[in-house]
Amino acid sequence: MLTATDRYLARLIALPMLGTLIISAMLLVLDKMLSLFDFVAAEGGPVSVVWRMLANMMPEYLSLGIPIGLMLGILLAFRKLALSSELDVMRGVGLSYGRLLRVPYMYAIALALLNFGIVGFVQPLSRHAYEALRFELRSGALGASVKVGEFTSLGKRMTLRIERSLDGGRNLQGIFVRAAGKDGQTVAVTAAQGSFLATDDPDTIIFRLRDGVLVNDAPKYHSPRILSFSSHDLPIDLPQIERFRGRNVDREKTIIELAKLGHDPTLKPKLRNEIRANFHFRMVEVAMMLLLPLAALAFAIPPKRSTSALGVFLSIVFIVTYHKINEYGQGVGALGRIDPIIALWVPFLLTACLILWMYHVVAHRPGGQPIGALEYAFAQLGKQIGKVLRLGRRRKPNLAAEGIT
């Protein structure tokens, strides 16, 4: 049963945790949104595909934001208790740090299971869907539009240019079309207006032209044949679009598929190393979440009679640095230079030892402060910067007075 203290801690952790998770995810989304808008606009695709691509990127952003949100949620909750002396009261009535960490570990276990489901099953499928959208956009399968005022190639033998587009593309004006046949025959058409029409054949569309001139030339003609028309239907063969590949990339495999393929003796060593490295990378990222409550507690408690926020800054640096080390270990393990187990689990064990030592200092040493040396160094640095700034403010009036006299 949860006590009143447990429920109080749960409320303190929930708000900053959810806020940090939402903010970090939104920052990643906004950064990606700008590049996606540029990419879709350059490919001439519909704007709606941007939202579909962002939706497929959300699981990856959540997998990055959940550990940060958990870390800062627990850290800010315990920091508030420490600054308001509530933590000293709880410790004074017999609540140990181990007992106070019961609720944080409930959050950690629940979010670790959620993150395991995301990185193990949801993220690989959404990543494949994202890459499929990129492929279809580049190949034109999403209905990439013909750019107005530019020459557009439809296949290898047809070029199209349109001066104006009205009514959402249903009324095209100032049209030029040039098509070349395999036998050397060419057809050049200019028309005042035109529109695309669908046919029963999905590989062919009709370009209905009005009020134009058609010039037909071939090697066997003595002179080009010229035809004026009020209406002319020009069939256009759509280029063949290649099918997107299957989920044959290690990042797009589920955790179960990676576990099976990692023990497949028929795979090439290079591919097996990539699969094993990706598998262990996902596992250490999830396993680290079970140590984050201890790390958050160690970073949260400032020295007595201090309101320093250095621990908040160091916690962010700590979790981002560990993630980058794991990415490097995955890359080295995928290349086969180091066994993926060593490249990823040795840094995890070293980091775990560091976190356990920091927690031991806080929980079992009276007045223990694992980042006390850094706190002192940054405090001295802040004092020196303050002196320099105050000295600069004093010199300015003196120089002004000298100028007046």
Side-chain angles (χ1 to χ4, degrees):
M1 296 294 294
L2 293 179
T3 63
T5 302
D6 293 331
R7 293 192 294 271
Y8 178 58
L9 274 174
R11 290 195 299 269
L12 287 181
I13 295 172
L15 183 60
M17 181 182 67
L18 293 176
T20 304
L21 174 59
I22 293 173
I23 291 173
S24 60
M26 289 301 101
L27 288 175
L28 292 171
V29 166
L30 289 175
D31 179 62
K32 189 67 174 179
M33 185 187 300
L34 296 176
S35 61
L36 285 181
F37 269 119
D38 292 338
F39 172 70
V40 173
E43 297 295 334
V47 178
S48 60
V49 73
V50 175
W51 313 119
R52 294 167 59 189
M53 297 176 79
L54 285 175
N56 286 315
M57 291 298 294
M58 282 303 298
E60 181 174 349
Y61 295 152
L62 288 176
S63 68
L64 298 174
I66 286 175
I68 297 176
L70 176 65
M71 180 81 156
L72 291 182
I74 298 173
L75 186 149
L76 294 176
F78 275 97
R79 173 179 165 80
K80 181 179 180 180
L81 294 176
L83 294 179
S84 61
S85 299
E86 291 178 273
L87 186 61
D88 294 331
V89 174
M90 293 178 181
R91 296 277 292 151
V93 297
L95 293 176
S96 65
Y97 282 118
R99 176 62 182 83
L100 292 174
L101 285 173
R102 176 184 294 181
V103 171
Y105 261 100
M106 291 181 182
Y107 277 109
I109 293 173
L111 291 178
L113 292 175
L114 175 62
N115 208 24
F116 177 77
I118 291 175
V119 301
F121 300 95
V122 179
Q123 184 178 332
L125 301 179
S126 65
R127 184 71 187 184
H128 181 262
Y130 172 82
E131 294 296 337
L133 286 173
R134 285 178 61 92
F135 176 84
E136 292 175 0
L137 186 61
R138 285 174 171 168
S139 63
L142 290 176
S145 60
V146 177
K147 297 180 181 179
V148 176
E150 298 183 13
F151 287 95
T152 304
S153 296
L154 299 178
K156 298 180 179 179
R157 301 181 180 276
M158 180 171 290
T159 303
L160 172 66
R161 188 178 190 274
I162 296 171
E163 287 290 343
R164 297 181 62 190
S165 177
L166 304 175
D167 298 333
R170 290 185 292 272
N171 183 8
L172 307 175
Q173 297 181 356
I175 300 167
F176 169 79
V177 182
R178 185 182 185 278
K182 296 181 180 180
D183 56 356
Q185 184 177 0
T186 61
V187 175
V189 183
T190 60
Q193 294 181 340
S195 59
F196 288 105
L197 302 175
T199 65
D200 294 335
D201 186 358
D203 296 327
T204 303
I205 61 175
I206 295 296
F207 196 11
R208 178 159 295 173
L209 305 172
R210 293 182 294 275
D211 301 328
V213 177
L214 184 148
V215 180
N216 187 8
D217 195 8
K220 61 182 180 179
Y221 295 166
H222 295 291
S223 60
R225 298 178 179 179
I226 302 175
L227 172 67
S228 298
F229 59 85
S230 59
S231 179
H232 179 72
D233 289 343
L234 182 66
I236 298 177
D237 294 330
L238 296 177
Q240 293 294 325
I241 299 175
E242 298 179 3
R243 298 189 63 182
F244 186 57
R245 58 170 172 78
R247 288 191 301 111
N248 52 7
V249 181
D250 55 350
R251 293 186 304 171
E252 299 172 2
K253 298 288 187 181
T254 64
I255 198 73
I256 296 177
E257 292 170 339
L258 290 178
K260 293 179 179 179
L261 292 173
H263 295 86
D264 188 354
T266 62
L267 290 180
K268 295 181 179 180
K270 183 178 183 301
L271 180 58
R272 187 164 60 250
N273 287 331
E274 292 176 355
I275 290 173
R276 293 179 63 231
N278 191 274
F279 173 81
H280 290 290
F281 172 79
R282 299 188 200 182
M283 295 304 297
V284 296
E285 288 282 297
V286 175
M288 175 52 64
M289 293 187 63
L290 299 178
L291 296 174
L292 291 184
L294 303 179
L297 178 63
F299 284 119
I301 303 175
K304 294 298 182 181
R305 297 181 298 278
S306 172
T307 59
S308 170
L310 179 63
V312 179
F313 170 75
L314 291 179
S315 67
I316 298 174
V317 174
F318 175 82
I319 196 169
V320 172
T321 302
Y322 177 74
H323 177 71
K324 293 300 180 182
I325 291 174
N326 281 343
E327 287 184 340
Y328 177 76
Q330 180 188 10
V332 173
L335 293 175
R337 297 177 182 176
I338 304 177
D339 189 277
I341 296 179
I342 298 175
L344 288 160
W345 286 101
V346 168
F348 170 80
L349 293 177
L350 294 177
T351 305
C353 291
L354 175 62
I355 292 174
L356 291 173
W357 172 80
M358 293 171 62
Y359 172 74
H360 173 75
V361 171
V362 169
H364 300 102
R365 290 185 185 178
Q369 184 65 29
I371 59 173
L374 292 175
E375 292 275 6
Y376 177 79
F378 273 83
Q380 295 301 316
L381 179 61
K383 290 180 181 179
Q384 295 300 322
I385 294 175
K387 289 180 180 179
V388 172
L389 294 177
R390 287 194 299 270
L391 182 61
R393 287 196 298 267
R394 289 175 183 174
R395 286 180 177 178
K396 288 181 180 178
N398 294 334
L399 291 175
E402 292 175 2
I404 294 173
T405 57

